[in-house]
Amino acid sequence: MIAGPCAIESRAQIDLTAKFVASAGAAMVRGGAYKPRTSPYAFQGLGEEGVKLIAAACQAAGLPAVVEALAETQLLVLDWYVDMIQIGARNMQNFTLLQAAARTGKPVLLKRAPFATLDEVLYAAEYILLEGNPNVVLCERGVRGFDPQTRNLFDLGGALRLKELTHLPVIADPSHAAGHRDLVPALARVAVAAGADGLLVEVHPNPEKAWSDGEQSLDFAEFDEMMALMEPYFALRGFALSEPASVRSMEAVG
Ligand code: PEP
Ligand code: MN
C-alpha cells in the first residue's frame, strides 16, 4: 500500500500524513513535488523544497518515499532524497526520461498513460529494463473513457492481462481511476481480490482544502476504514501489513 497526498503542500501536511498512513499499515508514502497539472495556472508543486519535506517526513515515519519526476533535471534531487521514482501517466512514453530515471538505479513506478495500449506500457518498461535497472512496478490508473462521471476508466482486465504478459509487479491506483473518493475503497478491494500486487491511494488530512485532487483523496478516517475493510482481501492474497514504524521502534527499546 502506497499512500499519501497528491501534492506535498507543507511540512505539517506531509509529516501528519506520513505518520498517519504508517500507523494505518501503509508500506510507502507518496507525494508530488513536481506536479503535471492540466492548467499552467494550477499549483505546480513545491519542487525541491517538497522533496526535502517528504524525505524528512518519511524518515520520521520509518517508511520509504516515492515522488514523481517530470524532467531529467529533477532526477539528481530525487535520487538523493527519495527511494523510488514515479513516472506519471503523461510521461510514460518520454523515453529519454525513462532511461535517465532508470540510470539512477532507484526502483521506478511506471504509470500507464491514459491512451496507452498494454504493448506500449510494456515497451516503455523495456526502456528502463534495458538500462540495467530491473526494478520496475507498473501501475494501472485508468484510461481515458467517454463518460465524465468517472475520471478515467479503471481497466482491471488490462491490469490482469499485464500480469500474464510480464513478470513485473502490477499495482492499481483507484484514486486517479475513479476521481471520486466514495469509489476508491471498493475499487481497491476488487483490484486486490483480482490479483493486483499493490495499491496507490491518495490520502490528505483535509481533502476539502487540498491543493490538487481533493475530490478523490481519502481523509484519515476514510483511509483507516478502507484499510480495515481490506484486511480479508490482503489475507486472501497472503499480503502482510507492514507494522507501524512506531511499534517497531518501541519494541526495539523494549
Ligand atoms: C499522481 O500520481 O498524482 C498523478 C499525477 O498520476 P497520473 O500520472 O496517473 O495522472
Ligand atoms: Mn493526483
Side-chain angles (χ1 to χ4, degrees):
M1 171 64 74
I2 305 173
C6 181
I8 300 152
E9 298 168 5
S10 67
R11 183 183 296 278
Q13 177 243 21
I14 193 65
D15 279 357
L16 209 61
T17 310
K19 210 160 94 181
F20 172 74
V21 300
S23 74
M28 202 163 183
V29 180
R30 63 145 290 143
Y34 308 100
K35 293 305 302 175
R37 304 304 298 279
T38 302
S39 162
Y41 304 108
F43 174 57
Q44 302 287 309
L46 295 181
E48 189 170 331
E49 185 53 31
V51 179
K52 291 177 182 167
L53 292 177
I54 195 173
C58 283
Q59 193 170 27
L63 291 185
V66 55
V67 176
E68 176 172 358
L70 297 184
E72 266 182 80
T73 50
Q74 296 153 0
L75 288 171
L76 201 63
V77 168
L78 291 176
D79 186 23
W80 185 263
Y81 286 103
V82 309
D83 305 280
M84 188 181 209
I85 292 166
Q86 177 173 319
I87 301 293
R90 291 157 192 80
N91 275 307
M92 189 202 83
Q93 287 186 308
N94 184 342
F95 302 122
T96 53
L97 178 62
L98 295 178
Q99 289 168 324
R103 286 194 297 266
T104 64
K106 290 277 160 83
V108 177
L109 176 58
L110 179 62
K111 299 188 84 175
R112 181 185 184 181
F115 292 103
T117 65
L118 300 182
D119 283 341
E120 286 164 345
V121 175
L122 292 170
Y123 281 126
E126 290 287 339
Y127 271 94
I128 301 166
L129 302 178
L130 277 173
E131 293 301 310
N133 184 339
N135 300 316
V136 181
V137 174
L138 304 177
C139 181
E140 163 58 33
R141 44 77 79 204
V143 290
R144 186 61 70 93
F146 53 86
D147 188 339
Q149 286 289 347
T150 55
R151 186 175 180 183
N152 290 289
L153 214 44
F154 188 37
D155 186 10
L156 188 51
L160 300 185
R161 181 72 180 131
L162 270 182
K163 281 187 53 94
E164 290 180 347
L165 296 171
T166 173
H167 67 287
L168 298 172
V170 180
I171 70 168
D173 169 357
S175 305
H176 290 87
H180 299 283
R181 74 174 66 88
D182 296 359
L183 307 180
V184 170
L187 293 181
R189 292 196 292 275
V190 291
V192 168
D197 297 306
L199 295 165
L200 185 156
V201 172
E202 286 186 336
V203 178
H204 191 284
N206 186 356
E208 309 294 331
K209 295 261 166 69
W211 296 356
S212 70
D213 285 351
E215 60 294 342
Q216 67 192 35
S217 300
L218 303 182
D219 66 22
F220 291 177
E222 289 162 340
F223 185 70
D224 235 359
E225 189 189 6
M226 182 190 80
M227 289 297 273
L229 291 172
M230 299 230 39
E231 259 172 44
Y233 296 81
F234 289 145
L236 179 76
R237 296 291 308 288
F239 296 165
L241 278 188
S242 17
E243 217 170 290
S246 51
V247 174
R248 284 200 304 269
S249 56
M250 268 163 14
E251 277 166 0
V253 293

